Amino acid sequence: QVQLVESGGGLVRAGGSLRLSCAASGNIFSINAMGWYRQAPGKQRELVAAISRGGSTNYADSVKGRFTISRDNAKNTGYLQMNSLKPEDTAVYYCNADIEIMLGPEDTYWGQGTQVTVSS
């Protein structure tokens, strides 16, 4: 019984910034990897960034140097700081986490998605 709630999406001008948050709640024993995916119209969903429990990160080439993924383990929350946004970043962004529930198995959970729109 776990849910991920995303916040922080919206409309921003090119060159601007947004900070996405993903708060996990429920019967959580541990959160392992967390990540952010995005899906633009007409394109497949792609991994934007991922972070391990210990803080190791990976980024898609298209966002390196502009986006920063982080997490606060005490708050069961992940973040995606997006700077220097481009119109090509426009997509629905989905939070993802591998979570082990108390007295239960590890599964992959997804948020409902939040729209990020970058205008020219």
Side-chain angles (χ1 to χ4, degrees):
Q1 191 63 41
V2 170
Q3 66 176 10
L4 303 179
V5 178
E6 298 143 318
S7 61
L11 176 65
V12 66
R13 292 184 180 274
S17 297
L18 286 172
R19 181 178 173 87
L20 306 183
S21 297
C22 174
S25 62
N27 197 26
I28 298 169
F29 176 73
S30 66
I31 302 176
N32 295 310
M34 300 187 73
W36 291 92
Y37 290 72
R38 68 186 181 188
Q39 187 164 23
K43 294 187 176 181
Q44 290 187 287
R45 187 173 299 187
E46 65 174 346
L47 177 67
V48 176
I51 185 168
S52 72
R53 190 194 310 173
S56 298
T57 59
N58 289 291
Y59 296 93
D61 288 343
S62 59
V63 307
K64 286 180 180 176
R66 300 187 297 120
F67 291 11
T68 303
I69 188 170
S70 61
R71 62 191 290 169
D72 185 336
N73 290 336
K75 297 172 65 176
N76 287 335
T77 300
Y79 306 94
L80 184 68
Q81 179 68 44
M82 304 185 294
N83 298 328
S84 301
L85 282 161
K86 304 174 180 179
E88 305 91 88
D89 296 317
T90 296
V92 178
Y93 284 70
Y94 298 90
C95 178
N96 167 273
D98 295 328
I99 298 174
E100 182 179 357
I101 65 172
M102 294 179 183
L103 302 178
E106 182 180 87
D107 265 318
T108 299
Y109 296 85
W110 292 87
Q112 294 300 306
T114 184
Q115 177 70 46
V116 171
T117 302
V118 184
S119 66
S120 300

